[in-house]
Amino acid sequence: MLANPSTSTLHHRPNYTHNPPCSLSNHRCKLSLSPNCPRFSNSAKSNFSSLSLILSRRKRERLFTVFNAFEETSVAHDAPQSLPQPFSVKIPVGDRHILVETGHIGRQASGSVTVTDGETIVYTSVCLDDVPSEPSDFYPLSVNYQERFSAAGRTSGGFFKREGKLKDHEVLICRLIDRPLRPTMFKGFYHETQILSWVLSYDGLHSPDSLAVTAAGIALALSEVPNTEVIAGVRVGLVDNKFIVNPTTKEMEESELDLLLAGTDSAIFMIEGYCNFLTEEKLLDAVQIGQDAVRAICNEVGVLVKKCGKAKMLDAIKLPPAELYKHVEEIAGDELVKILQITSKVPRRKALASLEEKVLSILTEKGYVSKDERFGTPETVADLLEVEDEDEEIVVDGEVDEGDVHIKPIGHKFSPLLFSEVDVKLVFKEVTSKFLRKRIVEGGKRSDGRTPDRIRPIDSRCGILPRAHGSALFTRGETQSLAVVTLGDKQMAQRVDNLVDEEEFKRFYLQYLFPPSCVGEVGRIGAPSRREIGHGMLVERALKPILPSEDDFPYTVRVESTITESNGSSSMASVCGGCLALQDAGVPVKCMIAGIAMGMVLDTEEFGGDGTPLILSDITGSEDASGDMDFKVAGNEDGITAFQMDIKVGGITLPVMRKALLQARDGRKHILAEMLKCSPFPSKRLSKYAPLIHIMKVNPKKVNIIIGSGGKKVKSIIEETGVEAIDTRDDGIVKITAKDLSSIEKSKSIINRLTMVPNVGDIYRNCEIKSVAPYGVFVEIAPGREGLCHISELTSNWLPKAEDVFKVGDRVDVKLIEVNEKGQLRLSRKALLPEATPEKSSAEHHATDKASPRRIVQAPKDGLAEEYKDKDSAVNSPRSDSIKDAPVSKKKVYKGLTSSATEGPKKNSAASVSSIASKDEGTLVNGDDKIG
């Protein structure tokens, strides 16, 4: 849909004209240098005399070529020309429109656009180098996506206020942009291409990641970079069993699916996302919805590209000579067939490297003569006699009579063919891929001898690291993952800095490591690569749906997956190993899940097949590199939790994806069955080295009492009791983290006394007198909580002045006899004296004592309070602060006892608390803490 629907034309914006340094017509941009420029004012020899000393021969040749092009076009660009006019187009997406604008910002870039959704604006530019880089088998494309804090009216909270290193979620979006664009690039184009994308405005409602994918696809289509298709991307959510295209952030909070899809008007190139055990059919329905939305965007963008797009640099595409493919097959074909039958990765890799060196030596050093030329039809003597200058007379003395001449025919001499090393390497890789695909299609056997749907042997072990909280070693064929789980409190959570002005902490995160040793190579060790960040996030999203809630399991969980061997789909091995390690750490997961990587040979007709795409289960590294698809799927037999698909050819259709998903489900069932054979099996209980976390509920109004001024009180409790941390929340939840039960009990007792609610009839022992007044004394029954013991309640006898008998610092036993409307406490010492009788106390006090049993609290001397019931009590009071610890089964690792929200508020109700004991003791500390 265009910006002006009434005219159905592109919308023009006024612009000013000036003399540009380059022409921006519909042809390739060419820079004109003036011949009067001082740098080029001398002769051609002097122009580059100094440069020739520092530039290589090849670079000098490139520079002369560019210079000649400048000179040829300088006259044509002397006339003043105007920059391209701004254009905009509105495109319907879901229930709203996105606005695409070009020619307004970044006009010197090869292609640039801004895409607007609501008040979220993403700007993307595409630029390419003037001089091609060295040929390689990897397209020289780099993508950089960054979210500016200024887009949301914020500044970074760290010491450095300027955006610098990309954050992990920005790296993930860079990968989302790169992966669907790369298959559309032409082979043989070696000009380095850079895509830069920035979020200029963010409204907190419309996510910028899908916009960035679409903006990059449009900018690339408008640029000079040759590509085959226009790429667009959308997000699909599922709310109340209804699919939503590009849902808002609020809608995503309720969504069961987060799918990001990119493709063209006819095919799918990339999908990635996660869901809550969604079925294959539901996922396919979501993909269909997303594909329809992408098709609509691509159709509208096509009009914009025809109007504003630049001519593609097709003349810059340099492919290896066509005859080189034939020569490589002639030299290496027979040996390739044998090498590809080697099942082990390392021997096969070394054999391929040796064969490649042989091919390089022949085609780049020795030279090669084709078999057709060597063994072609020989020329006859009659043919040779027709050309006398090509004959050679040979006269041997003593063998012939004088005058006799013997004619010996000599054939044409063929000069050996030599090729560049880069071209030979590129062709050798493509020929190797072709032979591997041919073996799979024709013979029905893969490089390791498996059939297309067979899974490699699986072996798994748990508890192999004694000091780790949980560990597992998962091996599938020649791919192996060592997964380690670490449990901690909130301080171990991962802080996430985002555009929204809210602190976000991840209580579960996974870190994926891929060292070079896992493939038997030497490489860089340092910060995680983009691939490691992307694979780690995929595994994290796959495992997240099986984790318990924070109420059921209050730990922060960190999973670390180190790949110790790799030959295909190490990320899916991390899913399996991570699931086993979580169980070994005692995390009560909802179910087990597994992951599998699927591959594909799309064009089977090329190798004698029927044309139907061939789906491969559990692909190896060589099948990933030579195949047409890498489709990772994680979940159980009932549904999917995470998925990621990359296409390396012209995209795939829904029927092919359906076949891959169903075959992947069968593979997951097999893997889950093998994981149940794990030996040793996961312990499913907390390690004795894992920290203990005790949860208690207090009155939210008393949280500040626990914290104290500037956090002094909570720090003193931590130092006094030896616990690791005390975390408080505004809703009254207090979490105590420690390594042993004794320190938890000490801190729990102190917090109970700080937040306790005094009840009439409670007895407090060994309490300190804080101040003395003529009318009585003030006694501290709990830290920060004092009550008045009137002079009439100090002794059974008459006392003229309180200071005559009591002084500050004395310790007395008192009983709470009244709490007035202001919360002030009235205490009595006389009620606890041996000679005291019921008649001496008021009838009201006597009735109160009968109504509720007495609670006796021993005032602390060492930080602990001794609390018990009076032996006269016949029943347990519902107003008590704690009960005795009760043993539970060792199989019960953690138990959360929380009051039900449906029961309604109850006066003086007790909030349940729970904690985790070590697996040595196998007990669960249970207690009822009063909500004061």
Side-chain angles (χ1 to χ4, degrees), residues 466-470 487 584-586 685-691 918-919:
R467 298 289 296 193
H469 298 164
L487 304 178
D584 190 59
R685 59 179 181 177
L686 286 178
S687 167
K688 62 181 179 182
Y689 302 111
S918 65
K919 63 184 180 183

Side-chain angles (χ1 to χ4, degrees), residues 297-316:
I297 296 175
C298 292
N299 291 337
E300 295 290 343
V301 171
V303 179
L304 181 67
V305 172
K306 289 179 181 179
K307 185 70 176 179
C308 308
K310 297 179 180 179
K312 299 296 183 180
M313 296 173 55
L314 299 176
D315 56 337

Side-chain angles (χ1 to χ4, degrees), residues 58-94:
R58 177 173 294 182
K59 289 185 177 180
R60 291 202 305 272
E61 292 176 353
R62 293 176 184 168
L63 189 58
F64 274 114
T65 302
V66 175
F67 175 72
N68 292 335
F70 292 158
E71 291 294 330
E72 293 173 0
T73 58
S74 59
V75 178
H77 293 283
D78 286 341
Q81 300 182 21
S82 61
L83 289 171
Q85 298 293 320
F87 294 95
S88 64
V89 56
K90 280 187 176 181
I91 304 174
V93 179

Side-chain angles (χ1 to χ4, degrees), residues 599-617:
M600 178 182 66
V601 179
L602 184 62
D603 187 10
T604 56
E605 192 173 0
E606 178 185 358
F607 308 108
D610 57 0
T612 304
L614 182 62
I615 306 298
L616 307 177
S617 297

Side-chain angles (χ1 to χ4, degrees), residues 591-791:
C591 63
M592 292 182 65
I593 64 170
I596 187 172
M598 311 298 292
M600 178 182 66
V601 179
L602 184 62
D603 187 10
T604 56
E605 192 173 0
E606 178 185 358
F607 308 108
D610 57 0
T612 304
L614 182 62
I615 306 298
L616 307 177
S617 297
D618 185 23
I619 57 175
T620 62
S622 59
E623 293 167 345
D624 183 8
S626 302
D628 299 324
M629 178 182 72
D630 182 13
F631 194 3
K632 303 179 179 71
V633 187
N636 60 8
E637 61 274 8
D638 298 325
I640 299 171
T641 60
F643 49 89
Q644 182 186 90
M645 183 187 72
D646 295 319
I647 300 300
K648 304 172 186 178
V649 289
I652 65 170
T653 58
L654 279 175
V656 177
M657 186 180 296
R658 175 178 285 104
K659 182 178 179 182
L661 283 172
L662 296 179
Q663 191 167 321
R665 182 175 61 186
D666 296 336
R668 293 198 310 273
K669 291 180 180 179
H670 173 80
I671 296 170
L672 287 170
E674 294 296 319
M675 290 171 62
L676 292 175
K677 302 176 184 177
C678 177
S679 179
F681 201 72
S683 64
K684 295 188 177 182
R685 59 179 181 177
L686 286 178
S687 167
K688 62 181 179 182
Y689 302 111
L692 306 178
I693 296 182
H694 175 81
I695 303 176
M696 57 190 302
K697 175 81 173 180
V698 301
N699 189 333
K701 297 180 180 179
K702 296 182 179 294
V703 171
N704 291 333
I705 299 177
I706 302 175
I707 299 174
S709 177
K712 292 181 180 179
K713 190 61 182 179
V714 70
K715 291 178 181 178
S716 66
I717 298 175
I718 293 174
E719 294 176 358
E720 181 180 349
T721 60
V723 298
E724 293 184 353
I726 297 177
D727 177 41
T728 60
R729 294 192 335 206
D730 294 338
D731 59 357
I733 295 295
V734 179
K735 295 181 182 179
I736 307 172
T737 305
K739 292 183 177 180
D740 55 82
L741 286 173
S742 61
S743 57
I744 285 182
E745 290 299 325
K746 290 180 182 179
S747 59
K748 174 186 169 184
S749 176
I750 294 176
I751 293 174
N752 280 337
R753 289 186 288 107
L754 287 173
T755 59
M756 65 172 292
V757 176
N759 295 317
V760 174
D762 290 345
I763 298 174
Y764 302 93
R765 303 287 188 186
N766 198 26
C767 300
E768 183 181 0
I769 297 177
K770 287 295 185 180
S771 61
V772 180
Y775 51 84
V777 297
F778 289 90
V779 181
E780 184 182 49
I781 62 173
R785 197 68 190 269
E786 297 180 4
L788 172 64
C789 186
H790 193 265
I791 190 171

Side-chain angles (χ1 to χ4, degrees), residues 87-105:
F87 294 95
S88 64
V89 56
K90 280 187 176 181
I91 304 174
V93 179
D95 58 353
R96 56 186 184 274
H97 291 76
I98 63 173
L99 176 65
V100 179
E101 298 177 282
T102 184
H104 183 59
I105 301 178

Side-chain angles (χ1 to χ4, degrees), residues 124-127 141-144 177 181 193-197 216 220:
T124 302
S125 64
V126 176
C127 292
L141 172 67
S142 61
V143 179
N144 192 88
I177 297 172
L181 294 179
T193 306
Q194 186 179 52
I195 298 177
L196 301 180
S197 185
L220 192 67

